[in-house]
Amino acid sequence: MTRRGFIKGLLATFLAGLFVAAYGFLIEPALRLRVRRWSIRRDDWPSDKPVRIAVLTDLHAGEPYVTRARLRRIVARTNALGADLIVVLGDLTSSHGFATEPVLVKDTAAILGKLSAPLGVFAVLGNHDWWDDPAAQMRGAGPVETGTALEQNGIPVLENDALELPNGLWLAGLGDQLALRRSNGRLIGVDDLPGTMAKIPEDAPAILLAHEPDIFPKVPERVALTLSGHTHGGQVRCFGYSPVVPSKYGNRYAYGHVREKGRDLVVSGGIGCSILPVRFGVTPEITVVEMSA
């Protein structure tokens, strides 16, 4: 290689790296938004109860990436999708040190309060909702500020609880699996899967909301669909692989539709960022899941 060729190659590499960095830190996490659709057909799903579910998760609201104006646009776009049911899977607060200004939980909840769907809008809490509430951490129990704010804006929070929807489907919400931080680094969950399942009739078609997907191997077969967030798809994902995933199962539940032993899980890539405000190959998304026989 000639000296000129070497310099050109070096310059091209530098420019490519600069573009990737700019895209990953400035464009994808702050400006892009897509609708990611999954269609799931199950033989055991009632043929007269097809349902379209819109999923919002891991908003991590904070300037300059997930602003109040952006949240309003996300809500408007979600409402325009015509979903039968909308679910919010937790982590409303910003969780990286690059936020120039926080978006208060009460403001985020007020904006989410404009969500509307025929079967309702429901939520579960995420680990950051718990971690960012010092009073709840000290008590080792709720109420959690995020949950209170959501319910004050007409969005019921399902904390190890279940209810029957107007069309006869059952919706359950699990308490967070990493809720309480202890000084020794231990994380303690407030989830109660057996207690939650006990509230659902044995033969009822059921959907489970769980912020972290790691619970999925324990979910009984009678739950047709589990919806989760938390992983952000790893935030950086290339060719279906994420180098870092906040799950003990690694890439097994990092992103998308997973079917295991007749059970279905969909993990949304969510909207915001954690640790670092970077996304590459995991475009912020509103996730839409269509269930049918």
Side-chain angles (χ1 to χ4, degrees):
M1 179 183 290
T2 65
R3 182 171 179 271
R4 176 176 293 181
F6 174 77
I7 292 173
K8 284 184 177 179
L10 192 63
L11 179 61
T13 301
F14 171 76
L15 291 175
L18 191 64
F19 171 77
V20 169
Y23 180 84
F25 279 90
L26 299 176
I27 297 174
E28 186 156 310
L31 301 177
R32 296 199 62 200
L33 178 68
R34 68 172 178 173
V35 176
R36 182 66 169 96
R37 299 178 184 270
W38 302 95
S39 180
I40 299 174
R41 300 178 68 91
R42 295 180 56 93
D43 293 339
D44 59 352
W45 192 256
S47 59
D48 61 338
K49 292 180 174 61
V51 64
R52 179 184 299 165
I53 309 164
V55 180
L56 290 177
T57 187
D58 300 281
L59 295 168
H60 293 298
E63 305 276 350
Y65 296 95
V66 184
T67 64
R68 292 170 180 81
R70 190 178 185 203
L71 286 171
R72 293 186 186 97
R73 292 194 295 271
I74 290 168
V75 165
R77 190 166 179 183
T78 303
N79 284 338
L81 293 172
D84 303 301
L85 172 69
I86 298 175
V87 296
V88 180
L89 301 184
D91 278 6
L92 271 61
T93 60
S94 178
S95 59
H96 56 77
F98 295 82
T100 56
E101 179 186 338
V103 174
L104 299 178
V105 168
K106 66 181 183 67
D107 294 339
T108 302
I111 294 171
L112 293 177
K114 302 299 182 184
L115 291 167
S116 178
L119 297 180
V121 181
F122 300 90
V124 292
L125 300 179
N127 56 304
H128 286 280
D129 300 316
W130 279 90
W131 294 356
D132 292 344
D133 188 332
Q137 290 295 309
M138 185 170 294
R139 287 192 304 270
V144 177
E145 180 185 6
T146 297
T148 301
L150 287 168
E151 293 192 333
Q152 287 175 343
N153 284 278
I155 300 177
V157 175
L158 300 178
E159 185 86 354
N160 298 320
D161 202 0
L163 53 79
E164 185 177 13
L165 298 173
N167 66 345
L169 300 178
W170 278 77
L171 182 68
L174 196 64
D176 190 72
Q177 301 155 61
L178 306 171
L180 303 174
R181 305 172 86 170
R182 294 298 175 249
S183 56
N184 60 2
R186 186 183 177 198
L187 297 173
I188 302 173
V190 295
D191 53 305
D192 180 4
L193 183 59
T196 303
M197 294 306 303
K199 299 177 180 181
I200 305 174
E202 282 289 338
D203 58 348
I207 298 166
L208 176 68
L209 312 180
H211 179 69
E212 296 91 355
D214 284 17
I215 195 69
F216 186 58
K218 299 179 181 179
V219 174
E221 292 183 15
R222 66 190 186 96
V223 174
L225 174 66
T226 301
L227 297 173
S228 294
H230 181 66
T231 65
H232 306 185
Q235 287 189 193
V236 175
R237 190 169 179 85
C238 299
F239 305 108
Y241 176 78
S242 302
V244 179
V245 182
S247 165
K248 66 182 179 182
Y249 294 101
N251 274 266
R252 181 174 167 183
Y253 304 137
Y255 177 74
H257 177 214
V258 178
R259 174 166 282 179
E260 290 183 356
K261 299 179 180 179
R263 296 162 303 147
D264 288 285
L265 165 72
V266 173
V267 181
S268 170
I271 300 292
C273 299
S274 181
I275 311 297
L276 288 173
V278 59
R279 276 183 177 253
F280 189 87
V282 193
T283 303
E285 68 177 56
I286 303 164
T287 309
V288 174
V289 182
E290 296 190 8
M291 289 285 291
S292 62

